[in-house]
Amino acid sequence: MRLKRVLLACAVCAVVSFVLAAGPAPAGDLPRARPESLGMSGGRLARVGEVLAGSVARGEAPGYVTLVARRGKIVHLEGHGRRDPGTDEPMKVDALFGLASMTKPVTAVAAQILYEEGRLAMHEPLSLHVPALARLKVVDDAGATQPLEREITLHDLLTHTSGFDDGLGRLERYAHPTLADHMAEFVERPLAFQPGKRWRYGDSFDFLGYLVQVVSGQPLDAFLRERIFEPLGMVDTAYWPGPEDESRVAVLLQDGAPDRQRASRLPPGAAARRSYVSGTTGLFSTAGDYWRFAQMLLNGGVRDGERVLGSRTVGWIHTNHIGDLALPEWAGPGFRFGFGVAFLVDPARHTAPAGPGSYGWGGALGTDFWVDPENELVAVFMVQA
């Protein structure tokens, strides 16, 4: 968490008061520009590498990839340290990282695509699509079950206020062969609270991914590939990296030791089947690929002429949708919650100088991203520790 704050401070403080005309981006897959051409300081961005070199030397992580972009051009993209702590292979900028909960914002966009098409409504009962939801019960504080006061809606899922609480750890979740198998058990469990009454992180997005699958008539991974990844050119983003990509996967550091098979995250059966996909977790991506997704959000739903969402719909993503509901301390001071992302409403309470209205989300393995509309910045932080 400290290193994320340092990167945020380095990125924002690299924005300087003067702005020069941006020249043409060099040829290549990712549009790049000199920091100074976009009103940023290359010297200050260099602090990112200095901080992370120290982290690698202390053994906090094998390596990192960091990216900062302003006005649609990448001004900083670097690998730091090693891809595998057991080798001298340097961390390359096209390394693949397990995103963990950075999967959730992608799932939120998928659901909003269906919302824009009129195939989902924000506040209609979702039992219209999954009839079993009408039979849900709620566990009260005394442990007794009570009937629903109202049914779960799309808005509840997008904001983590549905009351779903699977009670399963990641390894137990991945023991199911498919998402549909998991959800068949999931909807038989009582809710932890009445929909809309509290904020509880996590399991709402498992069902959100399943809902996308049911309403679209496509497997979740196929829908994401067709409607988000391919239009945005995210060629390196998928749930299960192929054998040809294994040499690019950043090695996970688990309790100080390399976990090359990711056994702490996956039961052996799941790794062999490669059939379980989730709206909550599981995507792999590169810093450059995830930048394409985040830049689409900053651009109001479009990048390089490919529109994924309408601008008004994107605005809903980074709007406070939970009012004054309590968030846990780990969500960070000064934040409220939108659709799949935390949204900064009080910069003075934050621990780094982010612009008001900045939003983003991170993953349990250390990955993070944020969009700063005021400063026209996107930043992506990749690590596996």
Side-chain angles (χ1 to χ4, degrees):
M1 182 62 71
R2 173 187 170 273
L3 288 173
K4 296 177 191 177
R5 294 196 298 267
V6 169
L7 178 59
L8 175 58
C10 290
V12 175
C13 292
V15 180
V16 295
S17 58
F18 60 87
V19 178
L20 303 177
D29 191 35
L30 294 170
R32 304 200 191 201
R34 291 188 309 107
E36 285 72 18
S37 74
L38 292 171
M40 299 193 74
S41 166
R44 292 190 171 207
L45 286 168
R47 295 172 178 175
V48 173
E50 296 168 4
V51 170
L52 296 184
S55 175
V56 171
R58 292 189 295 273
E60 295 169 350
Y64 301 84
V65 175
T66 51
L67 181 153
V68 178
R70 192 178 197 206
R71 297 176 184 158
K73 301 290 178 64
I74 294 170
V75 296
H76 164 96
L77 176 58
E78 292 181 356
H80 316 269
R82 294 164 292 165
R83 183 188 70 85
D84 184 331
T87 73
D88 292 328
E89 178 188 352
M91 180 70 82
K92 297 179 180 178
V93 296
D94 67 345
L96 289 163
F97 292 80
L99 296 180
S101 287
M102 271 171 61
T103 301
K104 292 180 175 73
V106 179
T107 307
V109 166
Q112 288 182 280
I113 290 171
L114 296 173
Y115 163 76
E116 283 194 333
E117 293 175 351
R119 300 163 76 181
L120 281 171
M122 196 58 65
H123 295 287
E124 72 180 4
L126 291 182
S127 62
L128 293 172
H129 305 284
V130 183
L133 296 182
R135 304 193 301 268
L136 286 172
K137 302 292 184 182
V138 180
V139 177
D140 63 22
D141 293 339
T145 56
Q146 303 293 335
L148 286 171
E149 294 177 3
R150 66 164 176 81
E151 290 193 34
I152 291 172
T153 66
L154 176 61
H155 189 272
D156 296 325
L157 297 179
L158 286 165
T159 57
H160 295 291
T161 59
S162 68
F164 278 132
D165 183 16
D166 194 358
L168 299 182
R170 180 184 169 90
L171 294 177
E172 295 171 296
R173 177 185 294 117
Y174 269 78
H176 295 90
T178 68
L179 179 60
D181 292 320
H182 180 192
M183 291 301 102
E185 297 178 9
F186 189 87
V187 297
E188 298 301 320
R189 298 173 180 267
L191 301 179
F193 52 84
Q194 293 288 347
K197 294 297 179 69
R198 301 180 195 170
W199 192 89
R200 176 167 293 189
Y201 183 63
D203 295 336
S204 292
F205 271 66
D206 272 324
F207 194 82
L208 185 65
Y210 178 65
L211 182 67
V212 169
Q213 189 165 280
V214 168
V215 173
S216 71
Q218 295 179 272
L220 176 61
D221 53 346
F223 185 87
L224 297 182
R225 182 174 62 250
E226 179 182 313
R227 302 302 299 274
I228 300 175
F229 303 152
E230 290 179 355
L232 294 178
M234 296 171 66
V235 297
D236 286 322
T237 305
Y239 279 96
W240 298 97
E244 70 280 4
D245 292 321
E246 285 298 325
S247 63
R248 295 168 55 202
V249 175
V251 171
L252 171 65
L253 197 69
Q254 174 71 25
D255 296 328
D259 181 2
R260 295 182 179 85
Q261 304 303 317
R262 306 181 83 82
S264 61
R265 303 283 292 170
L266 290 171
R273 288 190 299 268
R274 303 167 66 89
S275 58
Y276 184 90
V277 300
S278 167
T280 295
T281 186
L283 282 174
F284 283 75
S285 191
T286 63
D289 256 23
Y290 209 88
W291 165 76
R292 291 178 171 92
F293 174 77
Q295 189 67 45
M296 175 273 294
L297 297 178
L298 179 59
N299 292 351
V302 64
R303 200 189 80 82
D304 282 352
E306 292 288 343
R307 180 162 292 282
V308 174
L309 283 178
S311 59
R312 188 64 64 88
T313 309
V314 171
W316 269 27
I317 291 174
H318 52 100
T319 297
N320 176 18
H321 285 280
I322 65 167
D324 295 325
L325 291 181
L327 292 175
E329 288 187 6
W330 56 258
F335 283 94
R336 294 281 84 201
F337 203 79
F339 288 166
V341 298
F343 167 61
L344 184 61
V345 296
D346 187 352
R349 295 184 60 207
H350 192 32
T351 53
S358 295
Y359 60 94
W361 200 243
L365 304 182
T367 60
D368 206 354
F369 89 102
W370 60 91
V371 175
D372 183 341
E374 179 182 70
N375 290 300
E376 302 174 271
L377 285 172
V378 171
V380 181
F381 180 88
M382 294 293 211
V383 65
Q384 303 282 267

